[in-house]
Amino acid sequence: MSDSAAEQKGMASKAHAEVHSDEEATLEGKSYRLKIFRGDAEGGKEVEYEIEAIEGMVVLDAVLKIQAEQANDLAVRWNCKAAHCGSCSAEINGRPKLLCKTRVEEYEGQEIRVHPIRAFPVIKDLVSDVSWNYGVSAQIQPFTTSEQAPFTMYEEDVERLYEPKKCIECFMCQDVCHVLRTHHKHPEFAGPRFFVRSQWLEMHPKDEGNRLQFLKEGRGGVQLCNITKCCSEVCPVGIHITDNSIIPLKERVADEYYDPAKWLMRKIRGRRNGSSNGNGGTRSTHARAGIRTNG
Amino acid sequence: MAYGDIARSTTGVLRRLPWWTGPIAVTAALVGFGIYVFVTVMLFDRGEYENYLSPFYSPPVGGESFLPAWLSPAIFILWLPLGFRATCYYYRKAYYRAFFWDPPACSSKAQQRELRGPEHYRGETALFVWNNIHRYFMYGSFVLLVFLTIDTVRAFLPEGSFGITLGSLIFLVNVSLLWTYSLSCHSLRHVIGGSVDCYSCVKGGNARRKAYNWLSVLNRQHALWAWLSLFSLLITDVYIRLLLAGVITDFRLV
């Protein structure tokens, strides 16, 4: 190793050590008060617990420590503890968070109030029944194509599909959405998670399905969304749900149902509202229409 | 202090602010701007000073002798940018939160303060369904932007020859911000490339994809452009009002 490299390594480790010792200095011997919801669908109350902080402790660690040492019957759902599975979503001080990704030191000087996600029925303590979401998912027309896999697809056609595929289904966007949480529009509104899924399907170059009618007139209810962006604010994987999923879908719905020029064109061509899958079409629809493609 | 430290401390401070500070700040800014525009348009039938024309009065349409004096060009024009902003996806978020408290903020505490009960919430299916005509306001706004760009060129031509003044620089910043705000529009992004599923299947698909990606970069800061362009409009008009009132004189740089 050259001198400069060794020097750099030394600097890096020294810098790390300093941060490390700072953290130890701030967390050493500190205790945090957690108020955790204890109860079920019938009702419940907050119960206060005090724990001693450990360096790097996340709220899930604190809850599991309480479960191990103070309240063995405390119910909490978790799995990967790495912000990948989306199981441990809950509300911390009134905002949806992944328990495994939220450090207790973020709440220094404040009490930490942990509740289950409230847009869905509580089963026990911090566990909610999110099965409603799987029912909605089943109602969305799945990926539909007349082509035989494996497909040849081009990077330029699929680059927009990476972002929606990052979703870990933590359902925090569903929880923070006031249409579900406050207005209880569950029977007529799919929620941000399923707009992300619908956007992925609608923009897929090989998909031939049509979900615009579902989104506008059916179970989707995209027009009930008033784009206040709470879903984007809470997404733990950083999906720009409103800008890149909901608004593009609203624009497609506007194309089909609210644009007088496009309505006139449809009348001339003799096509009904909501009968297209977006405007760009797919390779197979273009092939049927005799449009030459590169692929 | 490093940039990261500043960002972290700013985020920390913002996070600790009560939830109602956001809606109140937005309400104050939008109401303040609305009052300024209303009073200006009602009090003054012109906004021209030498080679400067206030963006509220451009293009100078109307002004026929048979029309009453209060029917200034601003009355004929302002509905278009006003409609563009009122139906803009960012401003929709801002006023649903600030004016309608629908919801005022994202925390559970704030959502409990929503004014409308579940039985009255209609989202964008009732009155606000009109927001779907945003794209038509966008087309019209681009026409106005051409006039504002011509006004900016004129601002650099004091007394018929090229010159740089403080006023011309204000015009340049204003028109640049207005173009950036308009180009970052979600509807434009949709028209250019968002509506296409398969770029390699359509004619000019690659150009549309590149334009879409470029507009998407601008779109990420749409809210910022919305506010900056709103304030730049205000500053440009105030500057002209001050010149007209003789409170200040234009500072010539070149």
Side-chain angles (χ1 to χ4, degrees):
Chain A
M1 189 186 288
S2 69
D3 287 351
S4 62
E7 201 177 11
Q8 275 183 353
K9 194 184 173 199
M11 281 171 68
S13 58
K14 193 179 168 190
H16 184 260
E18 278 173 6
V19 172
H20 189 89
S21 62
D22 278 356
E23 279 180 1
E24 272 182 352
T26 53
L27 286 172
E28 189 67 40
K30 277 202 170 174
S31 62
Y32 284 87
R33 278 186 304 134
L34 274 84
K35 287 185 174 175
I36 299 178
F37 175 83
R38 302 300 310 272
D40 53 29
E42 303 297 314
K45 61 175 183 177
E46 282 180 346
V47 177
E48 188 172 314
Y49 301 95
E50 193 163 327
I51 51 132
E52 202 163 297
I54 300 167
E55 190 202 339
M57 183 181 245
V58 291
V59 177
L60 180 61
D61 291 328
V63 170
L64 293 178
K65 194 171 161 66
I66 290 164
Q67 190 190 50
E69 297 172 0
Q70 301 179 50
N72 301 146
D73 61 341
L74 173 63
V76 58
R77 181 163 47 212
W78 66 285
N79 192 3
C80 73
K81 205 170 172 289
H84 282 306
C85 71
S87 302
C88 65
S89 43
E91 292 182 10
I92 303 175
N93 291 358
R95 290 185 71 93
K97 295 264 188 183
L98 288 182
L99 295 179
C100 71
K101 206 184 173 184
T102 311
R103 289 195 172 213
V104 289
E105 66 209 56
E106 285 179 33
Y107 299 93
E108 201 169 339
Q110 305 170 50
E111 59 183 15
I112 304 173
R113 299 173 65 226
V114 190
H115 281 243
I117 53 175
R118 291 288 187 183
F120 307 108
V122 177
I123 299 173
K124 186 176 185 300
D125 302 337
L126 300 181
V127 181
S128 296
D129 178 6
V130 294
S131 58
W132 174 85
N133 292 285
Y134 306 119
V136 175
S137 185
Q139 290 174 45
I140 298 173
Q141 183 184 8
F143 178 75
T144 308
T145 185
S146 55
E147 288 187 47
Q148 186 67 42
F151 308 122
T152 302
M153 292 191 288
Y154 295 87
E155 176 63 20
E156 63 263 32
D157 294 329
V158 295
E159 62 190 1
R160 286 179 305 185
L161 309 184
Y162 298 141
E163 190 187 33
K165 288 301 274 184
K166 287 196 298 184
C167 178
I168 59 171
E169 293 210 316
C170 61
F171 301 125
M172 296 204 305
C173 56
Q174 303 284 77
D175 181 52
V176 82
C177 176
H178 72 127
V179 183
L180 292 173
R181 190 195 160 103
T182 311
H183 299 301
H184 314 295
K185 300 284 184 191
H186 295 72
E188 50 193 310
F189 183 70
R193 158 62 193 131
F194 299 106
F195 298 140
V196 171
R197 180 168 147 73
S198 300
Q199 175 248 321
W200 179 82
L201 288 161
E202 284 293 303
M203 287 190 175
H204 197 293
K206 296 290 179 183
D207 179 72
E208 294 159 23
N210 167 29
R211 295 159 199 88
L212 296 181
Q213 198 167 16
F214 167 83
L215 288 165
K216 196 264 177 185
E217 295 171 342
R219 181 74 185 71
V222 73
Q223 296 299 89
L224 283 171
C225 168
N226 66 346
I227 50 171
T228 44
K229 280 200 168 179
C230 290
C231 50
S232 303
E233 286 183 19
V234 302
C235 181
V237 291
I239 301 174
H240 299 93
I241 301 173
T242 315
D243 291 318
N244 292 345
S245 294
I246 298 176
I247 293 174
L249 289 177
K250 276 181 171 265
E251 284 293 310
R252 287 182 180 218
V253 167
D255 278 347
E256 285 295 298
Y257 293 94
Y258 300 111
D259 189 323
K262 298 213 173 198
W263 172 82
L264 189 64
M265 289 304 289
R266 277 195 298 276
K267 285 284 171 199
I268 292 167
R269 290 173 181 167
R271 195 168 61 74
R272 289 172 54 204
N273 282 351
S275 59
S276 82
N277 69 322
N279 298 325
T282 62
R283 277 175 206 284
S284 51
T285 53
H286 280 87
R288 282 199 295 276
I291 297 170
R292 195 172 62 82
T293 66
N294 299 330
Chain B
M1 193 186 274
Y3 174 77
D5 294 335
I6 295 169
R8 213 169 298 123
S9 60
T10 310
T11 312
V13 169
L14 289 176
R15 204 175 53 207
R16 280 164 193 265
L17 287 174
W19 60 264
W20 44 263
T21 49
I24 285 180
V26 171
T27 305
L30 292 180
V31 168
F33 182 80
I35 290 171
Y36 175 84
V37 173
F38 181 76
V39 170
T40 304
V41 168
M42 287 296 120
L43 287 183
F44 306 108
D45 58 356
R46 58 186 278 267
E48 199 165 2
Y49 176 83
E50 294 180 358
N51 55 327
Y52 300 146
L53 178 59
S54 165
F56 295 161
Y57 296 78
S58 178
V61 292
E64 277 77 11
S65 55
F66 59 87
L67 291 171
W70 59 270
L71 266 179
S72 65
I75 303 280
F76 287 102
I77 294 157
L78 279 182
W79 62 272
L80 190 51
L82 187 70
F84 183 46
R85 287 186 188 251
T87 58
C88 159
Y89 284 101
Y90 167 69
Y91 282 108
R92 272 144 82 173
K93 173 207 163 187
Y95 64 70
Y96 288 137
R97 281 195 185 196
F99 295 140
F100 298 96
W101 284 39
D102 228 359
C106 299
S107 70
S108 59
K109 206 173 175 181
Q111 291 193 2
Q112 283 163 11
R113 302 291 182 95
E114 281 198 40
L115 302 176
R116 272 192 282 197
E119 65 279 9
H120 295 117
Y121 179 77
R122 305 283 301 277
E124 297 197 318
T125 60
L127 174 68
F128 294 113
V129 77
W130 287 99
N131 281 327
N132 285 301
I133 58 169
H134 180 54
R135 58 189 63 183
Y136 285 94
F137 284 117
M138 177 191 75
Y139 302 141
S141 291
F142 276 111
V143 176
L144 281 191
L145 266 177
V146 172
F147 286 101
L148 293 178
T149 309
I150 294 166
D151 293 339
T152 304
V153 173
R154 283 185 59 225
F156 280 91
L157 300 170
E159 295 151 16
S161 59
F162 180 76
I164 300 175
T165 59
L166 180 59
S168 62
L169 292 179
I170 290 173
F171 266 72
L172 182 64
V173 170
N174 178 49
V175 83
S176 304
L177 288 170
L178 287 171
W179 271 108
T180 314
Y181 167 63
S182 304
L183 288 172
S184 67
C185 169
H186 291 85
S187 284
L188 180 69
R189 187 174 171 237
H190 170 76
V191 169
I192 295 296
S195 57
V196 179
D197 293 342
C198 179
Y199 293 117
S200 60
C201 310
V202 294
K203 276 184 185 170
N206 198 35
R208 290 181 75 174
R209 172 182 157 258
K210 282 181 179 167
Y212 173 84
N213 288 344
W214 186 76
L215 293 177
S216 296
V217 173
L218 291 180
N219 178 263
R220 274 176 224 147
Q221 298 297 331
H222 192 52
L224 177 71
W225 306 128
W227 282 114
L228 290 179
S229 60
L230 195 77
F231 289 128
S232 73
L233 275 169
L234 192 72
I235 290 167
T236 309
D237 189 72
V238 167
Y239 189 78
I240 292 169
R241 296 278 152 226
L242 293 174
L243 288 173
L244 279 167
V247 177
I248 56 169
T249 50
D250 199 17
F251 180 65
R252 183 150 183 168
L253 300 162
V254 178

